[in-house]
Amino acid sequence: MPYRAPVEEVRFICEHVVGLGQVTATPRFAEATPDVAAAILSEAGKLCDEVLAPLQRAGDLHPARLENGVVRTSPGFAEGQRALAEGGWVGLAASPDHGGMGLPQTLAAAVNDMMSGACLALQTNPLLTQGQIEALTHHASDAIKALYLPKLIAGAWSGTMNLTEPQAGSDVGALRTVARPNGDGTYAITGQKIYITWADADFMENVVHLVLARLPDAPPGSRGISLFLLPRNIPGADGAPGVANRLRVVSLEHKMGLHGSPTAVMQYDGATGWLVGEENKGLAAMFTMMNNARLAVGTQGIGVAEAAYQQALAYATERRQGATPVGDGSGAIVDHADVRRMLATMKAEIFAARAIALSCAVAIDMSTATGEADWAARAAFLTPIAKAFGTDIGVEVASEGIQVHGGMGYVEETGAAQFLRDVRVATIYEGTNGIQAMDLVGRKLADGGEAAWRLLEEIEQAAEAVRRVLPELAGEVWAAAESLREATEWMLSQDLEDRFAGAVPFLRAWARLLGGHLHLAAAMAAGGAGPRTALARIYIARRLPEHAALLAQARAGAADLYALSPDDLAA
């Protein structure tokens, strides 16, 4: 079955579950009326179905390649990128001051979700550009904004982020790339970066790199990192790409998946760059781009999960095997209890992850529109959960999709394995999911748990409000919230190593609770009966109970982990 963008599902969640209406009720986003939002989602769905989805297999079977220093892209990708640019999709949430639509981040997240399901390899290109737009909007000089933002927003130029170096990995403070002043306001950047997604493309007029580097007199560690903008081709006085900069793609990585999305080793040999933001404050500026990308990567996982689920469901409804308890007993495998369990679980998990991500986007929009600290704190708290849970579910649903196919899922021709190969990296980049969890129990609890307490209070009040309609479901959600309250109090009383040891299960327990809360909201929005209530019952009965075991792990501390030495682990 060809991929079909889940337009109606996204609309339902936006309108009835996560509260997009409160965003569009603000003066900042008043133009994003329900009719406008519906039109945006509908047109995005058509683009996904008709233009992007047909490119999915081409990117896998005909990977990007490096040819005479130029990255040659997969068949059809140039036309797909042109459609994205001409439709204004890159600048959906960007400021109208530089040509963007100025729409809510919630709509941008929903569109990224659908486009990721259609063709993740190509979608990574505009995703990174959107993050760069965000970083330049907040930190670049007016001159840089005037020159670069219109081109990036229009999709004529694309953007990358350059953080990782071979010796540093996730320890960005250990980077060695050097920036030396040229005396004319520019800098000469020398160094090497790895894992640079879409570092070049033969269909882009220009590629703009944001590069972390260290000035000669910079203090050590992360306190001495600055951010620089380096175009592939240096723009002339007229703004058109001119002479080639002193940078090059050394090689392309041979990856497990995402073959249509080139990931490069980049070399900078005295390349000309411009400072973005203040000296030695580059990491904060880059984190603006990374935070934008973290939610976007979460939606990538959700989009791939949706596509994997759609294919698994289509296969299960067509494949006939064995006696079943439905109809004449010789029906499709969808009627076997275990296959039905897998499919129902996949659907319930996708809903939970999608609703969490869109809840995070709503919080970002409300923070932007109102300037209220509580909304900003909620957005910050939900971001690592949305990223980690969205990408974990992408991997888990894609794996389960292979299982639904049985032996045919392990055969590449069916395409089921591609979803798992493509999405696996999403749990790693933009900060591994372990780093997301450490961020949650560290920085995101640094307010004494205030954002967590407000969220728990809201969840418990919502559960109380529906006890008369769905008492058994509401009771389970309320009880889980109380358990999370106790676990959060425990986290706040521990040192960081004990928190970090239990961070991953703690984050997953929060995702389980939020998923139950949002499923309950969907059930009530549908009248407390019907398919949405049945799906909520599956999630709350079969997935939410995991929170108890997760919280036991979260509170185990670090002592038992360090009781085993590296030699013990090797024995």
Side-chain angles (χ1 to χ4, degrees):
M1 182 185 79
Y3 172 81
R4 288 290 177 264
V7 175
E8 292 308 313
E9 177 74 355
V10 168
R11 280 189 63 185
F12 175 84
I13 293 173
C14 286
E15 294 174 6
H16 301 293
V17 179
V18 302
L20 178 59
Q22 63 188 319
V23 173
T24 58
T26 65
R28 172 69 174 78
F29 295 113
E31 294 184 5
T33 63
D35 287 346
V36 168
I40 290 290
L41 295 175
S42 177
E43 288 304 309
K46 290 179 183 176
L47 178 69
C48 290
D49 297 348
E50 299 171 7
V51 178
L52 301 183
L55 304 177
Q56 165 78 354
R57 289 296 283 162
D60 194 55
L61 298 174
H62 306 284
R65 67 190 190 280
L66 185 61
E67 186 177 277
N68 298 322
V70 177
V71 174
R72 301 299 180 189
T73 53
S74 303
F77 274 36
E79 291 76 14
Q81 171 64 24
R82 188 177 307 119
L84 288 168
E86 291 175 353
W89 297 106
V90 180
L92 196 67
S95 170
D97 294 343
H98 298 285
M101 294 188 189
L103 291 169
Q105 188 66 42
T106 307
L107 289 179
V111 170
N112 281 334
D113 172 343
M114 295 191 291
M115 289 184 177
S116 299
C119 183
L120 181 62
L122 180 57
Q123 191 270 340
T124 55
N125 184 294
L127 179 148
L128 286 165
T129 302
Q130 289 167 345
Q132 188 172 112
I133 290 167
E134 186 83 359
L136 296 181
T137 298
H138 285 88
H139 301 286
S141 66
D142 290 342
I144 288 177
K145 290 179 186 177
L147 175 57
Y148 286 88
L149 284 178
K151 295 287 191 178
L152 292 165
I153 289 170
W157 298 359
S158 62
T160 75
M161 63 167 73
N162 288 234
L163 293 84
T164 308
E165 297 183 7
Q167 81 289 343
S170 295
D171 182 10
V172 180
L175 67 83
R176 297 172 184 165
T177 299
V178 176
R180 301 185 184 280
N182 288 324
D184 60 357
T186 67
Y187 297 78
I189 315 297
T190 299
Q192 188 177 91
K193 300 287 184 177
I194 60 174
Y195 305 148
I196 309 307
T197 301
W198 282 102
D200 189 30
D202 54 3
F203 55 69
M204 296 308 305
E205 182 181 288
N206 206 355
V207 179
V208 183
H209 302 282
L210 282 184
V211 181
L212 289 178
R214 195 180 299 281
L215 292 165
D217 58 351
S222 60
R223 296 181 298 109
I225 297 174
S226 300
L227 181 63
F228 300 89
L229 180 149
L230 287 76
R232 182 188 68 193
N233 294 84
I234 299 173
D238 60 356
V243 63
N245 209 342
R246 294 174 64 85
L247 54 85
R248 61 192 174 93
V249 176
V250 175
S251 62
L252 297 185
E253 305 287 3
H254 301 283
K255 300 180 296 184
M256 173 181 176
L258 275 185
H259 296 148
S261 172
T263 302
V265 175
M266 288 294 299
Q267 183 69 37
Y268 298 93
D269 296 308
T272 301
W274 285 260
L275 182 68
V276 174
E278 300 178 38
E279 292 184 1
N280 303 325
K281 299 291 180 66
L283 202 54
M286 184 64 93
F287 264 107
T288 299
M289 182 174 185
M290 289 184 69
N291 278 330
N292 177 285
R294 282 173 173 170
L295 174 59
V297 170
T299 65
Q300 286 186 326
I302 298 159
V304 174
E306 175 71 39
Y309 167 72
Q310 288 188 19
Q311 179 160 320
L313 177 62
Y315 181 83
T317 55
E318 295 166 0
R319 172 68 168 163
R320 295 182 176 274
Q321 181 176 310
T324 62
V326 178
D328 61 4
S330 59
I333 64 170
V334 69
D335 291 331
H336 287 290
D338 187 57
V339 174
R340 189 73 64 92
R341 175 194 61 80
M342 287 190 284
L343 291 168
T345 301
M346 292 162 77
K347 186 174 180 65
E349 295 281 44
I350 293 167
F351 173 90
R354 179 174 282 137
I356 289 170
L358 293 176
S359 292
C360 181
V362 164
I364 293 171
D365 286 329
M366 290 302 293
S367 174
T368 300
T370 68
E372 294 177 6
D374 286 356
W375 280 115
R378 174 163 297 192
F381 188 83
L382 290 176
T383 294
I385 301 173
K387 191 276 180 181
F389 189 61
T391 55
D392 279 345
I393 292 306
V395 171
E396 291 167 22
V397 168
S399 179
E400 200 81 313
I402 294 173
Q403 195 73 13
V404 171
H405 281 76
M408 291 304 296
Y410 204 65
V411 174
E412 285 288 354
E413 283 76 6
T414 65
Q418 183 186 343
F419 296 120
L420 181 57
R421 291 188 289 99
D422 283 356
V423 79
R424 185 61 183 85
V425 72
T427 67
I428 298 170
Y429 61 31
E430 304 314 330
T432 67
N433 287 357
I435 289 174
Q436 302 302 316
M438 292 165 68
D439 177 50
L440 180 67
V441 302
R443 280 190 292 265
K444 301 307 162 57
L445 291 182
D447 61 356
E450 286 303 314
W453 307 140
R454 283 191 294 270
L455 195 51
L456 287 168
E457 185 65 24
E458 183 178 306
I459 291 169
E460 289 183 348
Q461 288 179 357
E464 288 290 357
V466 302
R467 275 189 188 272
R468 291 184 178 179
V469 182
L470 297 169
E472 73 286 3
L473 302 186
E476 292 298 325
V477 172
W478 189 93
E482 279 297 293
S483 297
L484 258 294
R485 186 183 298 278
E486 294 173 5
T488 303
E489 290 171 349
W490 183 90
M491 279 286 173
L492 288 167
S493 70
Q494 305 302 306
D495 61 31
L496 278 181
E497 283 308 310
D498 283 331
R499 292 192 198 186
F500 290 164
V504 167
F506 182 74
L507 183 149
R508 175 57 76 102
W510 264 100
R512 283 282 168 247
L513 172 63
L514 289 165
H517 165 63
L518 294 163
H519 265 290
L520 196 58
M524 290 303 297
R532 290 202 179 274
T533 300
L535 195 65
R537 185 168 284 110
I538 286 170
Y539 184 92
I540 292 171
R542 295 173 179 266
R543 310 309 285 171
L544 180 60
E546 290 181 358
H547 84 279
L550 290 165
L551 293 180
Q553 297 174 57
R555 298 169 71 166
D560 59 341
L561 301 179
Y562 289 104
L564 287 172
S565 69
D567 289 340
D568 294 331
L569 293 171

